[in-house]
Amino acid sequence: MFKKIFILVILSILTSSIFAATEDNNTSVAAISEQTIVASYDELPIKLHKDQVFAVKIKVLGKLKSGVVLTYVCTNDIGIKQLNQNTSFNIQDDGSFILTLLYKVVAQKVRTPDIMVNFTGGNEKDANILEGRTYDIEEVPESPFSTGVLAQSMKINNKKIDKYDSSNNIIVLDISAKLANIEDFKIKNVAQQGINNIKQGRYESSILYYLVIPATQDTIEFQYFNTSTDQLETVAVKLDLSNIEDKVSTQTDLSPKSPDKALYVFIVVTLIATTLYAIYYFKRERIFLILIIVVIGAGFLFLFVPNEQAKIKKDCVVYLLPTESSTPFFKADIDTPVEKIKEADGYIKIKLKNGKIGWVRAECVSKN
């Protein structure tokens, strides 16, 4: 009898334990099924290089009702600069939400941020925290052709070549790149170069880049570090030297005055002198001979009178022609003295101290 009672007690204890375990398991499942959102990394770089631009993507899954709000907070990041400050979650075709954060490496030690994804709607609240990752920054291989740009891809959209002076050409390249520090683009061993315009998109950015090269050079080669293939990629640009617009007259045509002004003076002096001589021929009065000599002398003196002195303001860009789409060839680092030649359609033709001549917007010029 005692033995049967003992067995029944043991069975009762085991049964109670099984039911208790089942209840605990059901509670855990219910908690998971009622969880509002699940956030995870959709893209995170494996390694990083100095100056690299990269993306961190967060994917959120969950049943989000109307009126709910997804927000995020980033903390504890080190050695990176966020490039898209005011970004938010975007809904995808499959009902998920994607957050894309763009950063640039600015130090040797980097840690991506801890990201807290918050869900709020009515009386409901939930949050997921994704821990950041620490990186030891890797060096980019050295190359004499490197531009200092790191990108997933790069391409030349368009190019233009013009004559700069008697021995050089100026080239303008429309360059676009994906996830790139394209603002750092610079070709080594080129004295005159610069970026005229930068356009930043979500993933792709572009620049209008110009450089001055010898008139006989028919190829431009440079390299960028491809972050997808983890190696240097070479870009070669072929130039058609047979199809160059001659812009020499817009830059070096004053010596010491522009030919158009010299021609104008010559025509005026010739007309006046001819008229005075015709009068002298009929009247035979010496005064008209003296006037002819005075007019010719005044014409020569006028040719050597200096142009009006002025200055162009800091950051002013000098163009080859007086148009918005013209090629830039100089940017003033400081207020720069120039000679003012003439005005046309909101632009002023100026001469730099090095003898180059170009056009600037009228608002860039002030009195010396």
Side-chain angles (χ1 to χ4, degrees), residues 196 208 317 319 321-328 345-347 361 363:
N196 187 43
L208 281 179
V317 176
Y319 298 90
L321 295 173
T323 62
E324 192 71 29
S325 59
S326 179
T327 301
D345 300 324
Y347 286 81
R361 294 185 180 89
E363 60 267 23

Side-chain angles (χ1 to χ4, degrees), residues 70-364:
L70 278 174
T71 59
Y72 68 94
V73 178
C74 297
T75 56
N76 303 323
D77 55 285
I78 299 173
I80 55 177
K81 175 185 176 182
Q82 188 173 348
L83 303 179
N84 56 341
Q85 296 287 341
N86 300 315
T87 190
S88 57
F89 284 94
N90 293 307
I91 190 167
Q92 308 300 300
D93 293 338
D94 61 1
S96 64
F97 290 80
I98 293 289
L99 172 69
T100 302
L101 304 172
L102 299 179
Y103 294 96
K104 181 179 180 179
V105 175
V106 295
Q108 285 298 118
K109 192 73 174 179
V110 165
R111 186 182 190 278
T112 55
D114 297 328
I115 303 174
M116 177 182 287
V117 180
N118 300 301
F119 161 81
T120 55
N123 296 323
E124 298 180 84
K125 291 185 179 180
D126 197 6
N128 285 183
I129 298 177
L130 301 176
E131 290 189 2
R133 178 175 176 177
T134 301
Y135 297 83
D136 290 321
I137 298 306
E138 300 191 12
E139 293 294 327
V140 175
E142 291 289 336
S143 168
F145 300 101
S146 176
T147 56
V149 173
L150 298 84
Q152 282 190 358
S153 62
M154 180 184 288
K155 63 180 179 180
I156 306 296
N157 301 311
N158 202 357
K159 63 180 182 289
K160 184 178 180 182
I161 178 170
D162 289 326
K163 200 167 186 65
Y164 181 69
D165 57 29
S166 59
S167 57
N168 296 285
N169 292 330
I170 184 167
I171 318 299
V172 178
L173 301 177
D174 179 3
I175 306 171
S176 62
K178 184 178 180 183
L179 286 180
N181 60 323
I182 201 165
E183 68 279 2
D184 297 328
F185 190 100
K186 186 176 183 180
I187 296 179
K188 295 179 180 178
N189 302 317
V190 175
Q192 290 181 270
Q193 61 177 304
I195 296 174
N196 187 43
N197 188 32
I198 300 179
K199 292 182 180 178
Q200 296 283 2
R202 178 177 292 182
Y203 294 105
E204 191 168 273
S205 52
S206 64
I207 58 172
L208 281 179
Y209 168 80
Y210 67 91
L211 71 162
V212 176
I213 60 174
T216 55
Q217 184 175 334
D218 62 359
T219 303
I220 301 171
E221 285 192 1
F222 58 84
Q223 292 179 324
Y224 74 97
F225 185 79
N226 190 315
T227 54
S228 297
T229 61
D230 208 32
Q231 63 183 9
L232 288 168
E233 300 278 351
T234 300
V235 178
V237 182
K238 289 288 185 181
L239 303 173
D240 183 4
L241 301 183
S242 65
N243 186 27
I244 300 177
E245 298 179 34
D246 190 354
K247 297 294 191 303
V248 176
S249 62
T250 66
Q251 301 178 70
T252 58
D253 57 357
L254 294 188
S255 183
K257 290 284 181 179
S258 61
D260 54 348
K261 182 176 284 188
L263 179 61
Y264 173 78
V265 172
F266 174 77
I267 292 172
V268 171
V269 169
T270 301
L271 288 173
I272 296 175
T274 302
T275 302
L276 290 173
Y277 183 80
I279 297 173
Y280 166 77
Y281 181 81
F282 289 105
K283 292 196 173 184
R284 297 293 177 177
E285 295 181 8
R286 277 182 145 186
I287 185 64
F288 294 104
L289 289 177
I290 296 172
L291 288 175
I292 291 172
I293 295 172
V294 170
V295 168
I296 293 174
F300 275 107
L301 288 174
F302 181 76
L303 282 175
F304 290 93
V305 171
N307 287 310
E308 180 184 346
Q309 299 299 302
K311 63 181 178 180
I312 56 174
K313 301 174 183 176
K314 180 183 176 182
D315 296 327
C316 175
V317 176
V318 183
Y319 298 90
L320 288 174
L321 295 173
T323 62
E324 192 71 29
S325 59
S326 179
T327 301
F329 71 89
F330 175 77
K331 183 177 181 180
D333 295 326
I334 58 173
D335 288 358
T336 304
V338 296
E339 289 184 29
K340 183 178 176 182
I341 301 172
K342 65 179 181 181
E343 298 186 35
D345 300 324
Y347 286 81
I348 296 177
K349 193 175 186 179
I350 55 97
K351 179 184 178 183
L352 299 168
K353 291 295 185 182
N354 61 7
K356 299 298 181 186
I357 293 173
W359 297 81
V360 296
R361 294 185 180 89
E363 60 267 23
C364 285

